[in-house]
Amino acid sequence: MNLSAPELCLLMAALVACLTLGSLHLSVNLGLFAIETVLIALATAFMGGITGDRELYVIALLIFCFKAFTVPLFLSWISDKLMAQRDIGSFLPAPLSMHLCLILFVLSFALAKEIPVSHAAGHSWPGASAGISLLLSGLILMLARRLAISQVVGFLVIENGIYTFALTQTRGMPLMVEMGILLDLLVAVMVAGLLIFKIQKNFEHIDIAQLKDLRD
Amino acid sequence: MFELLSISLIPLAICLLCAFRVPNSTLRISITGLIWLKLIIVLFITAPVFYRGNSSVSLFTDFGIDRLSASFVILTNVVAASSFSHAALFFRNEDKLGRLTEPRNESWFYFYAALFLCAMDFVFISENLGFMWIAIEATTLFSAALVYYGRDKHALEATWKYLIVCSVGIAFALLGTILFFASSQFYSSAGTLDIRMLTNSAKQLQPKFVQLGYIFCLLGYGTKAGLFPLHTWLPDAHSEAPAPASAMLSGSLLNCSLFAICRLTELVKHTDHAVLATEVPIIWGALTTLTSSLFLVNQMGLKRLWAYSSIENVGIMLSAIGLGAPSLFFLQAVNHSLAKVALFLLSGNIIQLNGSKDVSQIRGVLTSSPALAFTLVLAAAALTGMPPFGSFISEWLILLKASDSAQVLCAVVLILSLALSFVAISVHVLNMVLGSPKQVNKLSLPFSSVLVPILLCFCSLMLGVTGLAQIILETL
Amino acid sequence: MSSIATWSSYLLTVIIFPPLCLGVVRKTKARLQNRVGPAVWQPFFDLHRLTKKRETLSDTMCGVFRLSTVVGLSTTFALAWFIPWVPIKPWSPHADIFTVIYLFALERFFTLLGAMDSGSAFGAFGASRDVTLNLLVEPALCLALVSLSIIANSTDLGAIFSFSHFSTVSLVWFCAGTSIFLTSLAELGRMPVDDPTTHLELTMIHEAMTLEASARNLFLLEFTRMLKLTLFLALSAQCYLRIWAGFATLAPFQQELLVLIGVLLMAIFVGILESLVVKLQWRKVPEFVAYIVTVSLISVFVAMAGNTSL
């Protein structure tokens, strides 16, 4: 299997996402998320080098500054403030969920094979499988964790997966759209962060599984 | 460009007013004025579309309106205008009851509601799937602030669920949007997200990507629209938001995501795989209608009741979309929005009057406030599709269309659930209206507090008894 | 190379190298803690001292204890005989990976028997912890070796380590090497899992099993452990060296030299790791082991991908 530099970065990012599942420590989770996002930013920059698309450099820079740097810092600041260091974990033990994720990582290669390829658009199936794998890792992270901060991390991993998919399966999403998406994401994380503070203040915990007053 | 600016001008003005700490009493009056001004501006902007032989107008690169989106923009602004006007009265009552603990909350409400309205406008006027996605995500973020208005545990829980469930759902819609973009790159290397260009070249799109993209978009926007079983956030958010916000959530936000689904369905119907865009929405719509009408039967929260009824209507509208009738979809949306906004606004007053959200605690509205009771019955009748009202016509037409297109099963399911919801809602409403009041707050509701709902009911009635429905169907 | 030279170099590595490795680990640790520390050949003197001491045996012991230490060391010698841990060996038998794994298990089994035979409560609980740990770690080692066998299409370790065509799957070598290295940390009770220098009974794992041994028995136990450490380090050093595709083309004595240097470097690395890392809580050890298994799994997947030449 011959991998190009962006593909290698993206696959490594997907693996890092799998590793994120293995630890219940928020600091470890956030650190691994930052590494994952840096890898994705790198892949974007390499992609820019390959296709000669200047916009990709801008996007890589934006991802690096905001998603890989500001967001994890913000979230770890929250977890410091709330003195939440460890997730409780839900029905799936952390090691098992990591191994499950790895198996899904392999299955995503099979899934990605189903994706039609247009050589004109420079599709790569390892890239697509990295995207699918990231998406699934994020979903499992959201399902297997109970702390609000971990939910946000899971959401961000899903978003990374979708971005990866876009990066490898399309060529050149309009810059405006990309920036809008990134902005929306940042605002969503900020809003979620503020809500987490409020949840801590009102409930004295940030365990989402215990928020079930409202139901039919 | 000028149109875009003028659409966003008024919301910005409202935001500025709120930011400058204008006293609440001034704020209420000035915002009511501004919001009607916005409706007039919107009418002026959208008017050119309805001239004969002029079905679409481009506003800016990637932005434009055609007749359907123009109609939805008008509807959204009507809903917003009524909600904002009623909000002035609603908050004055809250003030009297001493439930407005923090006066700043009210201006924050207006602040985010204005941004929310602006985001909704942009959903309809963007012709680019990417911008449409961004606008829909923005509506989630701004309306989350509205849901959090109550500042208590329940509001917090509802807001959190709303934010997380919808953000993840919308993320899938983003994936779908990307797939559409990828599918377009198979025939032109640059690719496009422009919905019009995509529809024109529908047959050349990569079919697998289009199908996958459609499924993901349906999943994502369906979460936002509250389709079963992705509806979990909807009753919570609607019941915890203040009445004017619930009215806007139900009356216009649900339309936004359904509008996106409608556009994509039209697109997929132009490809060689139209079956997907017919069967899936119809079946899913019927399923949603059926389940939500079951939820209605034993529903105890007043606003949760209307929330489930909204889900039911979303199901009907989705079926209409699947049947390939955007005009029927719009007609049903108008009728639903008018009745539902009236009901949510009235519910706000009823809850203020009785001090409880629980249907079993609310009794004898007729004795405590006859005007309220009368309007409530009227609006509930308009909602459930009683004959003189407009929703009767639209539901009837949808059922006809379903049986015409050999979707008899869908029609049967729709009829069953409509009947079930009619019975459920009538029982609940009559229970509330009749009987003797249990506990009543000392609050004299002026007639003005039912003015807006009555007007809305009147509009709904007009849609039913005059030939307006026919005109709408012919225009679109 | 003449057979005498081969034999002598092999015996030298098998006898001299294990204590030297431990000495290097201890010296590195001491240096990093700003101590001068014992000389690197201190383990030789320790071993020598043990042979001269008089043996103390508990009353409850039966013969199993004496037998266990002997069997343990001889099994490990057999392993050193089987595994191609150094490139120059007088005899290279067919070293099936499963044989290797079972020989490791045999050695462990006898160590456990010996620990329980002593009749001390600490021995029993050390044994129980050790067996739990090994149960968790074993899949990691198996999978790492399996991944190597996948790319070489053979379960013979000798064939695997003389296989020279997989420059494209250097990632497998890296993952397998890492996995074997981490496994050795867990299996030999090195730092993140167990502190070899602690004698606080509540936290001990491996040391608890050797508490009752003395004199010649302790000598045998200690030497077994050093040899095992060396074997593991040599295996992972070889894996790391094979990331560099040119390694397979070198002459045997150059390879030998590189491997030995590699083992010493790994020993230094172990020393650095032990002074940087804190000991994990016993409850969190499974989490650590899960990561080792993950690395092995990645290695297997990459190997599968490389083997089918996707």
Side-chain angles (χ1 to χ4, degrees), chain B residues 230-248:
Chain B
L230 307 166
H231 67 280
T232 47
W233 64 271
L234 196 144
D236 297 350
H238 281 60
S239 75
E240 290 309 318
S246 319
M248 276 169 76

Side-chain angles (χ1 to χ4, degrees), chain B residues 115-415:
Chain B
L115 289 175
F116 177 43
L117 175 60
C118 193
M120 286 196 292
D121 284 338
F122 272 89
V123 173
F124 296 119
I125 62 174
S126 48
E127 284 184 326
N128 181 312
L129 285 179
F131 287 122
M132 191 189 267
W133 184 88
I134 292 170
I136 290 186
E137 172 72 15
T139 59
T140 311
L141 296 176
F142 294 135
S143 52
L146 299 184
V147 178
Y148 184 51
Y149 170 79
R151 304 286 194 277
D152 58 1
K153 284 188 174 187
H154 284 170
L156 203 52
E157 185 185 336
T159 314
W160 180 262
K161 274 189 193 167
Y162 176 45
L163 191 70
I164 288 296
V165 173
C166 282
S167 296
V168 173
I170 282 288
F172 280 101
L174 175 61
L175 185 59
T177 307
I178 287 166
L179 284 166
F180 274 113
F181 185 63
S183 77
S184 74
Q185 285 189 329
F186 275 77
Y187 75 93
S188 79
S189 62
T192 179
L193 275 171
D194 190 299
I195 186 82
R196 203 185 307 270
M197 279 163 76
L198 281 173
T199 314
N200 287 339
S201 52
K203 289 222 188 300
Q204 288 159 288
L205 302 177
Q206 215 291 330
K208 217 170 196 171
F209 272 159
V210 169
Q211 290 169 21
L212 266 181
Y214 181 64
I215 295 290
F216 276 119
C217 280
L218 205 57
L219 209 63
Y221 293 133
T223 312
K224 197 84 206 293
L227 297 179
F228 179 83
L230 307 166
H231 67 280
T232 47
W233 64 271
L234 196 144
D236 297 350
H238 281 60
S239 75
E240 290 309 318
S246 319
M248 276 169 76
L249 284 178
S250 176
S252 47
L253 178 64
L254 300 183
N255 292 345
C256 288
S257 29
L258 280 173
F259 176 77
I261 292 177
C262 176
R263 276 284 152 91
L264 294 170
T265 309
E266 290 301 297
L267 163 61
V268 177
K269 274 186 194 297
H270 280 84
T271 66
D272 296 328
H273 303 270
V275 180
L276 183 73
T278 317
E279 296 293 335
V280 177
I282 289 177
I283 293 173
W284 204 356
L287 181 72
T288 304
T289 316
L290 186 65
T291 44
S292 56
S293 61
L294 289 175
F295 274 113
L296 277 176
V297 175
N298 212 3
Q299 192 49 251
M300 278 302 127
L302 177 54
K303 280 158 93 183
R304 294 182 84 84
L305 187 71
W306 306 136
Y308 275 108
S309 146
S310 292
I311 300 177
E312 186 208 348
N313 275 283
V314 165
I316 297 172
M317 288 186 247
L318 188 66
S319 299
I321 293 172
L323 290 166
S327 47
L328 278 181
F329 157 51
F330 174 70
L331 198 61
Q332 175 67 16
V334 173
N335 287 313
H336 167 243
S337 294
L338 293 176
K340 194 48 72 59
V341 169
L343 278 171
F344 268 119
L345 297 180
L346 288 170
S347 309
N349 290 341
I350 293 174
I351 290 167
Q352 282 173 341
L353 201 62
N354 286 272
S356 170
K357 284 179 184 172
D358 195 343
V359 175
S360 58
Q361 295 298 312
I362 302 170
R363 288 288 179 270
V365 181
L366 192 61
T367 28
S368 50
S369 169
L372 206 57
F374 173 71
T375 328
L376 183 69
V377 172
L378 217 59
L383 178 74
T384 47
M386 291 270 270
F389 289 98
S391 45
F392 172 72
I393 294 181
S394 56
E395 277 162 14
W396 177 250
L397 287 175
I398 289 172
L399 289 174
L400 270 186
K401 177 95 183 167
S403 42
D404 278 353
S405 1
Q407 297 286 350
V408 185
L409 187 65
C410 162
V412 170
V413 170
L414 286 185
I415 290 173

Side-chain angles (χ1 to χ4, degrees), chain C residues 103-121:
Chain C
L103 278 178
F104 273 123
L106 186 69
E107 186 272 330
R108 195 177 307 131
F109 176 69
F110 273 95
T111 317
L112 292 174
L113 273 191
M116 295 207 280
D117 189 40
S118 66
S120 114

Side-chain angles (χ1 to χ4, degrees), chain C residues 23 40 60 67 85 90 99 103 131 138 142 165 189 208 230 268 275 307:
Chain C
V40 282
T60 58
L67 184 69
W85 60 288
T99 320
L103 278 178
V131 84
E138 200 156 46
C142 287
H165 300 297
T230 316
I268 292 173
S275 42
N307 197 33

Side-chain angles (χ1 to χ4, degrees), chain B residues 94-113:
Chain B
E94 291 277 282
D95 240 351
K96 277 186 202 157
L97 287 170
R99 300 211 321 213
L100 209 61
T101 43
E102 174 65 62
R104 288 289 292 156
N105 285 359
E106 189 183 337
S107 49
W108 279 123
F109 171 84
Y110 282 121
F111 184 86
Y112 285 113

Side-chain angles (χ1 to χ4, degrees), chain A residues 40-88:
Chain A
I40 288 175
L42 265 180
T44 313
F46 281 134
M47 201 75 144
I50 292 171
T51 59
D53 191 349
R54 288 289 162 85
E55 284 181 358
L56 285 175
Y57 289 119
V58 180
I59 293 170
L61 193 70
L62 285 176
I63 290 178
F64 183 78
C65 292
F66 292 113
K67 236 167 148 185
F69 194 70
T70 316
V71 167
L73 268 186
F74 175 65
L75 289 177
S76 65
W77 176 71
I78 292 177
S79 71
D80 280 354
K81 275 258 171 187
L82 304 184
M83 300 211 268
Q85 283 145 6
R86 234 176 108 82
D87 202 302
I88 309 123

